[in-house]
Amino acid sequence: MQSLELSPRAKAITFSDRVSRISISSTAAVTMEAEKLRAQGVDVVDFGAGEPDFPTPENIKEAAIRAIREDFSKYTATGGTIELRQVIAERHAADLGTSYAPSEVIATAGGKQAIFNVICSLINPGDEVLLPVPYWVTFCDVINYANGRPVMIETREEDDFNLTAEMIEKAMTPRTRLVIVNSPSNPSGAVVAPEEFGRILETTARHGAWLLSDECYCHFLYEGRPFSVGSIPGAKDHVILIGSVSKTYAMTGWRVGYALAPAPVVSAMVKLQSHSTSNPSSIAQKAAVEAMRGPQNSVQLMLNEYGRRRNFVMEKLREIQGVHCSVPRGAFYVYPNIGAFLDGSSAKPKAASPNELAGRLLREKAVAVVPGEAFGTQQHFRISYATSMEKLAEGLKRLKQFFSE
Ligand SMILES: Cc1ncc(COP(=O)(O)O)c(C=O)c1O
């Protein structure tokens, strides 16, 4: 059998600066840890993964099977088939009131690739990118990968992590090239109200910066109607919209996302994609067409269920003394403050940091959460409630035991 020891040559491998600037996604790292324990027979409750537990709706699966049977298995245009780009534009128009042409749409392998393409296409070394905290981990790493400078905008937990145009105005400099807004937010569930979005757009445009709006959770909103900043008259020259079928249609593994942007920006993204992954899977593209063109009732059913789970999780968290949590208004995460259990607090400390606390929680109670450091804060962890009621009940019971022992 081969030795597992790294050879001196392997130990000496060095990596490019751009790869050395980033780390493995912490949500992926938590999932890997949980899998390891599960393989040892431990009954792990995994609140780490940000992924719907629902199966992909049947009509979507059937469309993919049909595509295979009809040999729709060749390369397509890099930015997606014209059919898919048309459908993306139509669905976006119907749900969010925008008006985009297929030449202003690119289909990608997940929303993640759309974000990667945008940042790598627009950011030069030293360009500043405004990033509201708490942020979804990937934004920060991709900015660093592109050698841009993430400039953090601190939102306040007391205001439910509300982002305002005023905060953005204060952080603007002549080097600001891009402002990222993710509403509803992963991890906090905070939602930017339409009027505030209008003010954010006005501020960003006045400074000549781009506004990247990540709308991956826009259909999972507990009050009000889904909204896109792209629907504001005159917005299109200033905004890049990111979307995905991953969460909306429970299709995380299919890998289809998209961006809507001015045609030259789309062309730059297509150019980059043509030398990396090329088109998203032809079969997944057919499935995505069905997802967006077919019946939409599954989206509402999932939203209703997420709403029920959100209320349950909030109720259970309120029962744990020392934990407090702002009420998420969208997406499927809660972001409780567990500062009372960290060193330096008046209560009995359990750990020095959310990272350490999450490690203890996993080892002692087999509950996986993502520590807040991944999202740029030092007193929180993230729970995903895109999991069954049984798992939520069991996990929250263990959480309560952990914090009251
Ligand atoms: C805020 C946000 N944007 C984008 C994505 C990308 O998802 P996907 O690449 O599966 O479309 C995610 C996934 O977790 C997310 O949370």
Side-chain angles (χ1 to χ4, degrees):
M1 211 171 118
Q2 263 192 341
S3 156
L4 291 177
E5 273 283 292
L6 280 182
S7 69
R9 161 98 184 110
K11 275 187 196 153
I13 294 175
T14 58
F15 294 96
S16 67
D17 289 348
R18 83 181 77 79
V19 159
S20 305
R21 279 194 296 270
I22 62 174
S23 341
I24 180 92
S25 153
S26 7
T27 38
V30 170
T31 307
M32 264 152 48
E33 269 310 299
E35 298 256 299
K36 248 194 258 166
L37 280 180
R38 215 175 270 128
Q40 293 163 18
V42 179
D43 170 25
V44 179
V45 178
D46 189 357
F47 289 155
E51 125 167 298
D53 58 317
F54 302 106
T56 302
E58 284 304 316
N59 61 314
I60 301 175
K61 292 195 253 185
E62 286 303 326
I65 293 165
R66 233 177 5 256
I68 296 173
R69 293 239 159 82
E70 289 171 5
D71 292 320
F72 193 72
S73 48
K74 309 285 189 224
Y75 291 128
T76 72
T78 297
T81 61
I82 182 77
E83 181 191 32
L84 176 58
R85 284 181 287 137
Q86 182 78 45
V87 169
I88 291 169
E90 282 168 11
R91 171 64 33 220
H92 210 270
D95 290 353
L96 299 154
T98 54
S99 167
Y100 281 87
S103 59
E104 298 169 310
V105 180
I106 175 176
T108 53
K112 240 181 204 179
Q113 189 183 24
I115 292 164
F116 186 86
N117 285 350
V118 172
I119 293 178
C120 289
S121 298
L122 292 180
I123 298 304
N124 272 319
D127 281 351
E128 292 176 3
V129 182
L130 305 192
L131 188 57
V133 181
Y135 50 78
W136 178 51
V137 55
T138 290
F139 292 128
C140 195
D141 279 290
V142 180
I143 297 164
N144 284 327
Y145 177 86
N147 220 350
R149 211 167 78 73
V151 175
M152 306 308 178
I153 299 182
E154 299 295 335
T155 60
R156 287 157 46 94
E157 187 168 9
E158 305 84 275
D159 301 332
D160 290 334
F161 301 107
N162 215 8
L163 176 69
T164 65
E166 203 185 336
M167 294 172 183
I168 289 174
E169 179 76 57
K170 278 195 192 135
M172 282 283 183
T173 77
R175 294 232 58 173
T176 309
R177 174 90 166 132
L178 186 70
V179 176
I180 295 182
V181 176
N182 169 218
S183 170
S185 149
N186 172 6
S188 71
V191 171
V192 176
E195 316 77 65
E196 197 59 43
F197 239 133
R199 285 189 279 272
I200 290 172
L201 170 68
E202 188 278 320
T203 306
T204 313
R206 183 162 33 81
H207 286 271
W210 287 98
L211 175 57
L212 184 157
S213 177
D214 180 337
E215 304 177 339
C216 285
Y217 296 95
C218 71
H219 289 92
F220 298 131
L221 198 65
Y222 301 110
E223 294 146 34
R225 282 181 44 74
F227 171 79
S228 171
V229 65
S231 67
I232 298 177
K236 274 178 66 180
D237 281 347
H238 309 283
V239 302
I240 297 161
L241 312 175
I242 306 290
S244 171
V245 298
S246 287
K247 323 279 173 173
T248 314
Y249 302 101
M251 290 177 72
T252 42
W254 297 76
R255 309 310 301 137
V256 179
Y258 52 88
L260 305 159
V265 178
V266 165
S267 298
M269 292 167 73
V270 168
K271 181 164 71 170
L272 179 58
Q273 190 163 299
S274 74
H275 294 297
S276 53
T277 57
S278 296
N279 58 275
S281 147
S282 57
I283 295 149
Q285 287 190 59
K286 281 287 185 191
V289 166
E290 174 61 24
M292 286 184 269
R293 191 172 269 166
Q296 299 294 302
N297 51 335
S298 60
V299 182
Q300 187 60 44
L301 291 177
M302 285 192 268
L303 175 61
N304 294 348
E305 181 57 23
Y306 289 140
R308 202 165 75 90
R309 294 176 188 178
R310 175 189 72 147
N311 296 344
F312 176 75
V313 173
M314 288 304 298
E315 188 189 309
K316 291 293 165 196
L317 285 176
R318 280 189 201 107
E319 287 173 10
I320 307 177
Q321 228 187 351
V323 171
H324 59 93
C325 186
S326 66
V327 182
R329 293 194 294 131
F332 41 62
Y333 308 100
V334 285
Y335 201 53
N337 185 312
I338 39 79
F341 301 95
L342 301 180
D343 288 354
S345 66
S346 52
K348 271 188 286 177
K350 280 185 170 290
S353 64
N355 212 346
E356 197 184 308
L357 193 81
R360 277 194 62 186
L361 183 60
L362 186 58
R363 284 190 305 276
E364 293 172 24
K365 295 288 174 199
V367 176
V369 297
V370 184
E373 288 95 332
F375 310 102
T377 72
Q378 304 305 320
Q379 299 209 326
H380 304 84
F381 58 57
R382 189 192 77 175
I383 291 176
S384 161
Y385 52 87
T387 191
S388 69
M389 270 297 203
E390 295 72 44
K391 291 247 168 66
L392 286 173
E394 175 60 28
L396 285 155
K397 192 173 85 188
R398 294 187 199 176
L399 211 62
K400 189 171 180 182
Q401 282 165 1
F402 177 75
F403 283 122
S404 25
E405 270 160 12

